[in-house]
Amino acid sequence: MHSLKLPFHIHRERLPRKRIVGPSFAEDEDLKKVLKSYQSNKIRTTKYSFLSFLPKNLFEQLHRIANIYFIFLAALNFVPVVEAFQPEVSLVPIVLVLSVTAIKDVFEDFRRFHSDRLVNRQLCDLYSSAQKDYVDCCWKDVRVGDFVRLSCNEIIPADMVLLYSSDPRGVCYIETANLDGETNLKQRQVVGFAPQSDSQFSPENFHSRIECENPNNDLNRFRGFIEHASGVRVGLHSSNVLLRSCTIRNTETVIGIVVYAGHETKAMMNNSGPRYKRSLLERRLNRDILWCVALLIVMCLIAAVGHGLWLKNLKDPIFQVDGEMSPALAAFYVFWTMIIVLQVLIPISLYVSIEIVKLGQIYFIHNDLDMYNEEQDSRIQCRALNITEDLGQIQYVFSDKTGTLTENKMVFRRCSIFGVEYPHEENARRLAVYEEDPNRGASRTVTLKSACSRKSLTCRSLSCNRSSVSLHTLTAESGEEDQLSSHPQAKTDVVPDPALEKKLNSLCSSLLHLSDGLFKTTSNLELTYITDFFLALTICNTVVVSSPGQPRHVVSGPARTPLKSLEEIKVMFQRLSFSPFTTMSTPQMKSSPRSFTSRLFIRGKSGSLTFPTPTNNSPSCPNPEPESYEETNGSSGEDSEDELLYEAESPDEAALVHAARAYHCTLRARSPENLLVELPGIGSLPVRLLHVLPFDSNRKRMSVVVRHPLTGELVVYTKGADSVIMDLAERPKGRKAPSAELYSHIREQTQKHLDAYAREGLRTLCIAKKVLEEEEYDVWMKRQLLAESSIENREELLLESAQRLETNLTLLGSTGIVDRLQEEVPETIEALQRAGIKVWVLTGDKQETAINIANACKLLRSSDQLLTANCDNKDACAALLNELIVEVQCGQEGVSEQREDPSSGSTGFILAIDGRTLDWALQEDLRSSFLELSRKCKAVLCCRSTPLQKSKVVQLVRDHLRVMTLAVGDGANDVSMIQVADVGIGISGQEGMQAVMSSDFAIPRFHHLRKLLLVHGHWCYHRLANMILYFFYKNVMYVNLLFWYQFFCGFSGSVMINSWVLILFNLLFTSVPPLIYGVLDQDTAADALEEHPELYQAVYVPSIFWITILDAFYQSCICFFIPYFALAGSDVDGLSFGSPINTSALFIILLHQVIESHTLTWIHALVLFLSAASYFAFVLLFSTFCIVCSHPTNLLGVEPRQLSTPLFYVICAVTTVTALIPRIFFRSLFNTVHPSALLTKDQRQEAASESYRRRMQRWNQNHARTGLPVCADNPGLVPGQEEVLS
Amino acid sequence: MGKEKSKSGPLARRPDNSAFKQQRLPAWTPMLTASTVLPSFYLLALICMLLGVWLLLTVQNTQEMKVDYTEAGSCNLCFEMRKNVSNAGQKCTCMIMFSIEKAFKGDVFIYYGLRNFHQNLRRYMDSRDDGQMLGRKSNLKSPSSYCKPFDVDEKGVPIAPCGAVANSMFNDSFILTYYTINGPTVVPLLRKGLTWYTDKNVKYRNPKMDNLTLPEVFEGTTRPPYWQKPVYQLDPFDPNNNGFINDDLLVWMREAAFPNFKKLYGFLYRANKPFTKGLPAGNYSVAISYNFPVQYFKGRKEVVLTTVSWFGGQNHFLPIAYLVTSGLILLTAVVLTVVWWKFGKDGKNMAD
């Protein structure tokens, strides 16, 4: 697994490293040849072509040992001396199985073919050099080097380098939902120095050459450069590339040159299709099959020895055909004959049956209404098709925290600036109200009352057209919809802290009323801190701004400004901007209208603590300010008119921008180089964005380099994890003592606040800034550009460059963001624990946060004892682990003295271990003690863990404890853990789709895990395990009939059953009931399983296999010997003897299934009936019409004759009854002696069905009501109906 | 699929709330506990018991008589004679005396019985050509390879019927005599209608005659090596009972399931006195034309006389099986009752 994570360049060395792309119509022959050598854009995901299907499919199927075995058997039958059946008969099973599999493959392949064709035939505009214009062209005809023109909302046909965009800033927006599921817009940039002018871009004028790396599957990386005819090279990166299957948004026209096409596109290279994992049950199955093989060999040996001995006692009898054959040789031949005869013992159709059953199980899991999330309109996705039953055996669950246990819907909660805490009490109250909304969660589809009350609750905030929409949908659903629409509001609204608001407002008011008493209390420095803090919140992000009126459109600017288009903004920017690359002089600044504020900042920087004597008074304060302040204030009051939508890659970013907005620091518009920011008391300001150092998980921070709008200084704003920022925010040297003192005070205070936030379970971020000297910036800039344009090692260089910039930061403050728990998380965790599953939480968060969340989700109870492991070195770690083990042992002994069962006892141990300690604990020598400790703990919290650590932990537990592990996560950092675990679950939530793409199952919410494991997992496991057992039983039982016969035919390998019936019996007549059994059986009702998670614990008794085999032996004995004794000595012929045996066997096998089934529906009844009917139809037709076929077991006349004799029925009846009595007896004996579970289950089932009936009734009424607008309009009606129902 | 596509709107991907898809189909739950099982157990035991008794009574009314003549009485000589293959051509007849204590009432079936003769050996069963016996001309001239080594003789002339099964056909014949006060009377036997209808009319047919006589049709073939007569002369009295549709041949060709078996030889012809009511009690003899060698496989030969009931010949096993099953069910039912009484009467006792 880890090898996958290795850097790519290691593998790439062998390949020619670069690809060269130029215009496809260029005269250059070499280039043409090169371009031809690249793959075209035609895609073919089908495995087979028309001609290659047969050989290829056969070849693939022959990779299975079982298939080889059966082909070997079929071939063996062609050897005359050992031949048991007619050759064609023995071919039937293998041909049937191969063809069923082949048909399945064809079907799948055809679907792929069909979708390929659809994709290949999509049209796009391709530049044709012949016609000098763009012509319509199929996707499949696009080649590398072609110019493709795309319009808004078109899907990109191949990976292209963006050369032109109709957007004057050279920007184009794409939506990558098809690629990674992220629906936010991403900005792409036209290649710098592209021959783009005001006029239209013409491919004819493009003479540059693109050199880029070879195709790879890294979506976020593109390395290359474009070399212009002039020889100038410009670096290309992923922001210049349009990837296949993304959608163009918000941009009228874009033109690009194709660099990767077809299967070489990143989208296709990432498309790995469904995953194949081998389930535990399948491994056990193989073991059981080996037992069957052993049994087969024993039986054949017995027959061979028996034949040899039997032959020895005879000399040349009249019925001996082969004359002089030594008994040993004859025995040898008989051995092989018996292998053929008894081949049915190895269930040939088992593998294909299991596949079919799993598909059926997947179908039901996929269709479960309980695992559907209405908010996201998403249901469970089953990506791995063959590990359904593993869901029923999970022993360890490893869960990510953020986005998995929590909503990952970040809401700004509180902040600390300048070492001062702003608790945002109002905000907390508002969040609490929202959180306490009692009607969230599972009850929503059921209880109308709640749905409606929610509706009425939300209606206040909704415009009328919303409710008119709801008329057309189910009332319950409409309530849901309302909630949905109310969500962003709840999310984005931040109630400002009055104290902070006052201080911030004083920024403006102070200018007007300098003598204000309030102002004196607020120091200048603090004011600059606050402003910088909010400025950082506003601009230090990658949020895309759009407005709801025109979804996904760049907002054209503040509503009040007369500026209508981006062009005008640009003009405005230019007018207002302080010409970015020329050095700014302070005098200039002073002359600017905002001179006071500017000076304020300059003073703030210089660290003066005293308020300067005001040189400017109110007249010099710019006129627009009061108005604009008023305006902004008013505008944000009424959301409807001036609503901005922020789309962020990470939800914290959006939360912070929203928070800043609540303080009227509004991000109005964004272009790659400029930001339009509205500040309180100042109005809209353009901010020149010089650099964005995007977030990455190594640095754990992001930075922007901007030219400060007020001071004109070069400022770096950094936002990141507190641990990192606190380290980087070194005390600036060379400062005056009081300032240093103050600064350290701020640090201390902030740290204190951070700890408090973490205890509260908040996500903390630190905000810092740094002022750059111009020269410093120039030096850095050069190296940064170098790093950006390099192809090799660019990541490393960029990282290094970023690290160089982000030093000596000044800590501004910190924020606390709430990430609410998802609904029903505590209940789910409790249920999982009751089911005997250990839940571990692996998070990157701080220990305090993790413990807090563990508390919130009831992983940690008040009675539990928390063990924390934080060590600074390895020896300490070793010692601590041992100490903790002893402690736990003592504790457990104490507990076991008090309580009978410590497992469910209230006191447990929870281990919280931090990343560094975990690193040591995972090392070879401490591993075992860590495992020992963690095994004894009820739960383990791993904090501050990296993705690699997460996967290591999972691997350690999986490999060393030999348990079934499940990992659940939602983000890219969980991918490795998800891949390592036996079952990987992705939460299709907020953070993109990487986790989902690598998972086996993707669920919308964490609480779905409960039903997925406890109900579906349990069912799937039991169904499959029972079905497999039944398969073995069936085959052993049937094959033994033939074996017993050998004792009466001189072990010669003859059979008393027609060979076709013999072969088809397992393949056709009795093959469908087990499938139905495997798909539909419910050993316990779903409600009971959910209510009593203890039922989950799968107890696999190895002896059950042998008990089943024993029962099969008994049944086959009865089934053979009763007819034998009934007919012995009579004039019965072989086939007439076989007929009652076969019929009894059929009934026994089918009725055995009925006994084993826990539920029987009309489907079961139908299938059982059809199975029996098909058998009788077959044998009757066969014995009526087939005159010379199936030598030597010609059935002609046998069956009709048998079916018309009473003796046949007398035999069948007693045989069937006697064979089944023991199983019924022991089962009812067991159930009588252990009635509690079953009987109460039964009662529960009744209750469940009753509640289901009522639910269905209600649901139907809901449906009926959708047509009645009256009810939807009048929620008051609904509770009444509810009362009537209940 | 089509249904799903037709859905649109905010909940497009919502699964159908149908009983089937939500796995909530109304289902019967077979809950096997003492209380649910016991009534049917008792009922079943009763039914089995009644059936067993009825079968037993039926069986009591049937009679069976087996006369082993392998080396009994004068057949001893023949037995010794058949030990030597070179004497195969010589005829040998012998006679066995036996007496019937109790009259056989109703239809009486006469069987010949063989013990330890494995007609069910795989290679033996294979060694036949149903196509040939269906009268296919091509198979007549070139028998299937399954018949080897009895497909052609040393000169390459095809054998009809080919194969080991036909070759080893039982060829003893019996004459049953009843000794009354008036002297011996030959018991009249019906030697027709011994076979299944399908065998005689569908499965086996003589080759198309085309105005030829049977011997002409079979020209170019030879009799199986162990046979004394060619296939078209099997029945000297009835020309229609010759060739591949000879009753004795067909009876033989239906291979017995077990090494000890009997095959139908004839029925008692009940038209004339004293046999109108079956076989009267008294002394009988059977004269045997002793041809079939059994000493190679340590076999025995016998003549079997039986009467039949509605479910076949005399069969003591089935009634006993029913009675035993009934007893077993009763036993389990009693055990279950006791257990139920002690433990699970109301399902609560276990909690203590």
Side-chain angles (χ1 to χ4, degrees), chain A residues 23-37:
Chain A
S24 54
F25 43 77
E27 264 89 75
D28 188 348
E29 284 303 319
D30 285 350
L31 183 64
K32 268 190 177 168
K33 211 186 267 172
V34 168
L35 290 179
K36 278 259 166 64
S37 70

Side-chain angles (χ1 to χ4, degrees), chain A residues 34-47:
Chain A
V34 168
L35 290 179
K36 278 259 166 64
S37 70
Y38 300 141
Q39 277 210 14
S40 83
N41 202 34
K42 185 175 181 172
I43 56 157
R44 237 199 67 193
T45 55
T46 57
K47 270 202 237 161

Side-chain angles (χ1 to χ4, degrees), chain A residues 226-239:
Chain A
I226 184 164
E227 194 179 75
H228 294 296
S230 56
V232 180
R233 285 187 177 187
V234 181
L236 297 175
H237 28 96
S238 54
S239 69

Side-chain angles (χ1 to χ4, degrees), chain A residues 81 83-84 86-87 310 313-322 337 363-364 366-370 372 374 377-379 445 477 481 1016 1019 1023 1045 1048-1050 1052-1055 1079-1080 1082 1087 1121-1122 1124-1134 1136-1137 1154-1155 1157-1163 1187-1188 1191-1192 1194 1196-1198 1201 1206-1207 1209-1211 1213-1214 1217-1218 1221 1224-1225 1227-1229 1231-1233 1235-1236 1238-1239 1242 1245 1252 1255-1256 1259, chain B residues 4 7 9-35 37 41 44 48 55 111 116-131 134 136 146 148-150 164 167-168 195-199 202-203 205 226 254-264 292-293 296-298 310-312 315 317-318 321-322 325 328-329 332-333 335-336 339-340 343-344 346-348 350:
Chain A
V81 277
E83 171 203 283
Q86 279 176 301
W310 175 80
N313 290 332
L314 295 168
K315 44 178 209 276
D316 201 19
I318 193 169
F319 45 79
Q320 182 63 25
V321 180
D322 292 321
T337 306
Y363 171 83
F364 280 118
H366 187 66
N367 270 301
D368 193 334
L369 201 57
D370 291 343
Y372 167 77
E374 287 174 343
D377 186 28
S378 66
R379 45 166 118 168
T445 46
E477 286 171 1
E481 207 185 335
H1016 287 288
W1019 277 350
R1023 285 166 177 174
Y1045 189 58
F1048 303 94
C1049 66
S1052 62
S1054 66
V1055 291
V1079 176
L1080 290 180
Q1082 302 179 3
D1087 307 50
F1121 285 103
I1122 286 185
Y1124 169 74
F1125 285 117
L1127 295 170
S1130 74
D1131 60 341
V1132 72
D1133 63 289
S1136 301
F1137 169 62
V1154 173
I1155 296 170
S1157 293
H1158 298 87
T1159 49
L1160 291 169
T1161 63
W1162 61 266
I1163 300 175
I1187 297 173
V1188 288
H1191 173 91
N1194 187 326
L1196 187 78
V1198 173
R1201 199 181 161 87
L1207 184 63
Y1209 298 101
V1210 171
I1211 294 174
V1214 70
V1217 168
T1218 316
I1221 281 293
I1224 298 179
F1225 171 65
R1227 219 161 241 287
S1228 37
L1229 192 68
N1231 290 348
T1232 313
V1233 175
S1236 41
L1238 269 174
L1239 281 180
D1242 197 20
Q1245 243 152 5
Y1252 169 66
R1255 218 177 311 169
M1256 278 300 277
W1259 192 81
Chain B
E4 267 176 51
K7 280 202 290 184
L11 302 170
R13 273 181 259 169
R14 184 192 173 115
D16 286 343
N17 192 359
S18 65
F20 174 69
K21 283 193 178 175
Q22 300 308 317
Q23 305 193 59
R24 290 184 187 278
L25 283 176
W28 176 61
T29 329
M31 196 59 65
L32 296 175
T33 61
S35 37
V37 158
F41 264 38
L44 213 56
C48 284
L55 290 180
Y111 295 89
N116 212 16
F117 187 99
H118 285 75
Q119 252 201 323
N120 56 7
L121 286 187
R122 186 178 58 80
R123 295 288 290 121
Y124 179 84
M125 287 171 85
D126 269 1
S127 188
R128 57 190 288 163
D129 186 351
D130 285 347
L134 187 59
R136 287 186 184 153
Y146 281 114
K148 273 176 189 162
F150 303 106
N167 185 38
S168 61
T195 63
W196 296 7
Y197 173 85
T198 46
D199 281 2
V202 184
K203 194 173 176 184
R205 267 178 239 152
Y226 292 178
R254 196 151 273 287
E255 296 125 337
F258 311 113
N260 304 332
F261 60 89
K262 62 187 184 193
K263 283 185 182 285
L264 197 55
F292 199 72
Y296 303 118
F297 52 90
K298 294 172 186 151
W310 58 267
F311 75 100
N315 187 342
F317 175 77
L318 270 180
Y322 267 91
T325 302
L328 271 176
I329 298 173
T332 55
V335 170
L336 266 185
V339 168
W340 174 71
F343 293 107
D346 43 16
K348 278 176 194 162
M350 279 313 288

Side-chain angles (χ1 to χ4, degrees), chain A residues 137-172:
Chain A
C137 176
C138 284
W139 276 29
K140 63 178 176 191
D141 299 326
V142 173
R143 295 200 64 97
V144 173
D146 284 347
F147 290 87
V148 176
R149 185 176 68 183
L150 294 164
S151 316
C152 192
N153 297 334
E154 276 187 348
I155 300 173
I156 303 164
D159 291 357
M160 312 189 296
V161 168
L162 182 61
L163 294 177
Y164 165 81
S165 163
S166 59
D167 188 292
R169 292 163 303 152
V171 170
C172 142

